[in-house]
Amino acid sequence: MSTRRSVLVATLAALSAFALSPAQAQTKTDFKVAWSIYVGWMPWGYAADHGIVQKWADRYGITIEVTQFNDYVESINQYTVGAYDAVTLTNMDGLSIPAEGGVDTTAVIVGDFSAGNDAVILKDSDNLADIAGRNVNLVEFSVSHYLLARALESVGLSERDLKVVNTADPDMVGAFQTPDVTAMVTWNPMVSEILALPGANNVFDSSDIPGEIIDLMVANTAVLADNPDFGKALAGIWYETAALLTADTTEGAAARAAMGAASGTDQAGYEAQLTATRLFDQPEDAVAFVTSPALETTMDHVRTFLFDKGLLGAGGSSPDAVGIEFPGGAVMGDAGNVAFRFTDTYMKLAADGAL
């Protein structure tokens, strides 16, 4: 099963072959949302299955069709070519795929950030600097690759000091058990499985770069501008479901069990993944996060990584190629080519009880 992590450069090449046709900007009543399996996105599937999506759509006199994709990359591709109005993705992938492809995209909901779900693991060493000279198995050009880059910076190393070995995510656990594999970067649930193996050491993880691997619900900017009730409904769905997810009640436990089962684990396994996730179940916390200057620093790291890997398009002459807008209107990069935006509008409505 593909995950939120499995983004390959081939995806960008494939998209460039299409004449992209973003969802039409117009007033409408029917909307389509795509999501894929990941701990922080399970609430969207649960909400669709348990009437919460229907409730909020009815409140605004619209319909919202929520579709689960087993292939994360394909869900983004389908959004990018206009088949869906909104999709779950990471901040890095939002910038590198739809935004780079010319589809103006807005982060409506900042749902969570990874706080330990992603890790650099060494065999028979607990010192990150010992990664020098090793082959490092990871999904190339994914957030694992980004995590590696940030880890190397922390100890004065660079990718020139090692060799990246592109490895499919289903193969990670088995690969680590072979003698030749001594360094790996991956994500949960594989991280938990690998760290239970003899000799495995977590030497750097996403809790060391808090707030940088962000999981979002984004929407086509033009669609959102013409249909603000769609954004309001998405906010209502998220915060009602997140409140249930985090509730210390029988109903909350049942929701976590259902989300765990839907993601291929059980309640205990899902709750373990939640402990390594900074979930924004309170809208005021999400507003504070998205309006913090730290987000601009994060996105500068992300766009620089993408540029260095050639993932901001063949014509991109610098990390400024794609403009990124933040709440309040500040723009990083090309102000004439803003294609990725963070807004606090809908999360603030939720915080103010104004949905």
Side-chain angles (χ1 to χ4, degrees), residues 93-259:
D93 299 330
L95 184 59
S96 68
I97 303 180
E100 191 283 323
V103 179
D104 195 328
T105 293
T106 295
V108 181
I109 303 294
V110 176
D112 72 87
F113 64 76
S114 177
N117 274 314
D118 303 79
V120 180
I121 302 171
L122 293 187
K123 188 178 289 181
D124 299 325
S125 173
D126 59 5
N127 183 2
L128 172 59
D130 287 343
I131 200 169
R134 300 195 188 198
N135 291 343
V136 182
N137 295 69
L138 53 75
V139 177
E140 197 171 16
F141 307 127
S142 70
V143 290
S144 291
H145 206 156
Y146 174 78
L147 182 69
L148 174 65
R150 296 288 284 127
L152 294 174
E153 287 176 15
S154 75
V155 289
L157 297 173
S158 74
E159 207 169 309
R160 292 187 297 273
D161 297 306
L162 48 81
K163 180 181 178 181
V164 166
V165 179
N166 189 29
T167 306
D169 48 288
D171 299 333
M172 292 293 186
V173 177
F176 195 83
Q177 297 177 72
T178 64
D180 292 342
V181 175
T182 65
M184 180 170 284
V185 191
T186 189
W187 57 87
N188 266 322
M190 286 85 76
V191 166
S192 296
E193 293 183 61
I194 293 167
L195 290 177
L197 297 172
N201 296 275
N202 178 347
V203 294
F204 191 94
D205 64 37
S206 51
S207 69
D208 294 307
I209 52 166
E212 294 193 26
I213 299 175
I214 312 168
D215 298 302
L216 308 167
M217 171 61 79
V218 305
N220 180 284
T221 299
V223 170
L224 195 62
D226 286 351
N227 302 275
D229 283 350
F230 177 46
K232 293 176 185 177
L234 290 175
I237 292 163
W238 173 258
Y239 290 111
E240 179 172 337
T241 312
L244 180 61
L245 167 63
T246 57
D248 186 16
T249 62
T250 301
E251 292 78 11
R256 293 188 294 276
M259 293 183 208

Side-chain angles (χ1 to χ4, degrees), residues 55-62 229-230 232-234 354-355:
K55 169 187 169 180
W56 284 92
D58 287 348
R59 175 173 296 195
Y60 291 104
I62 61 178
D229 283 350
F230 177 46
K232 293 176 185 177
L234 290 175
L355 291 176

